[in-house]
Amino acid sequence: MNNIKKKDLIMGKKCENMFLKIFTKFKKLDKFNHFDFINKKKKTLIELKSRNYCFNGHLKDWQVGKNKIEEARRLSRDGYSIFFYMMFFDGLYYYKFNENNLYSDAYIKIGGRNDRDQNEEKDYVFIKSDVMKKSKIDLKVPLRPDPFDECIF
């Protein structure tokens, strides 16, 4: 496994665990699901992304797989609320999916990366950073990696 991908997976897992310690009413979904967490009782789904930079000063719009937005559309029509959360060094931000506002809140373009031994470029939906809200919950990506994280894989 590529070293960059390995570090990304370690960081993502650590952030998911931190998230679940606070969002205790949510359950982790399997890796084949479009979303990371569910609260069946409240019909709420969450996708969590972790980034190793600060939200403030980065000025990038938030990249979400087009397939996740298509699934959010389908599930929202079935009464689900869908939230896209992103954890940065400077806090936790979110976007509540609303199909009626999607065209003003986001745009589609090719995005992705190719530094993890494969080309991951595809169509993405980019949610504009100015429509993302900062969570009142104080969760941040850890600034320094834990040296014992290397033992996870």
Side-chain angles (χ1 to χ4, degrees), residues 87-127:
M87 197 182 302
F88 297 92
F89 287 150
D90 57 349
L92 183 66
Y93 292 77
Y94 70 94
Y95 173 77
K96 183 176 182 184
F97 177 80
N98 180 335
E99 188 171 6
N100 296 328
N101 295 340
L102 189 58
Y103 291 107
S104 62
D105 292 350
Y107 55 93
I108 298 172
K109 77 173 194 176
I110 293 174
R113 55 195 293 186
N114 54 21
D115 60 342
R116 301 194 300 190
D117 289 343
Q118 64 182 9
N119 185 348
E120 298 175 32
E121 292 177 336
K122 61 181 183 177
D123 280 346
Y124 282 91
V125 173
F126 286 80
I127 299 169

Side-chain angles (χ1 to χ4, degrees), residues 15 35-36 49 62 97 124 127 139 143 151 153:
C15 290
F35 301 98
D36 293 315
K49 295 292 181 195
W62 183 0
F97 177 80
Y124 282 91
I127 299 169
L139 266 180
L143 285 173
C151 301
F153 287 96

Side-chain angles (χ1 to χ4, degrees), residues 53 55 57-63 107 127-129 132:
Y53 49 81
F55 175 83
H58 199 260
L59 299 177
K60 267 191 157 180
D61 294 334
W62 183 0
Q63 176 177 303
Y107 55 93
I127 299 169
K128 296 174 185 174
S129 59
M132 293 163 44

Side-chain angles (χ1 to χ4, degrees), residues 9-22:
L9 290 171
I10 290 168
M11 180 180 69
K13 187 70 174 162
K14 182 177 265 190
C15 290
E16 284 180 354
N17 290 336
M18 291 166 48
F19 192 86
L20 279 174
K21 285 180 183 175
I22 292 173

Side-chain angles (χ1 to χ4, degrees), residues 32-49:
F32 301 107
N33 203 293
H34 287 90
F35 301 98
D36 293 315
F37 309 105
I38 189 168
N39 180 323
K40 287 184 181 179
K41 196 173 190 179
K42 293 196 175 196
K43 289 187 87 170
T44 302
L45 290 155
I46 292 175
E47 173 67 5
L48 175 66
K49 295 292 181 195

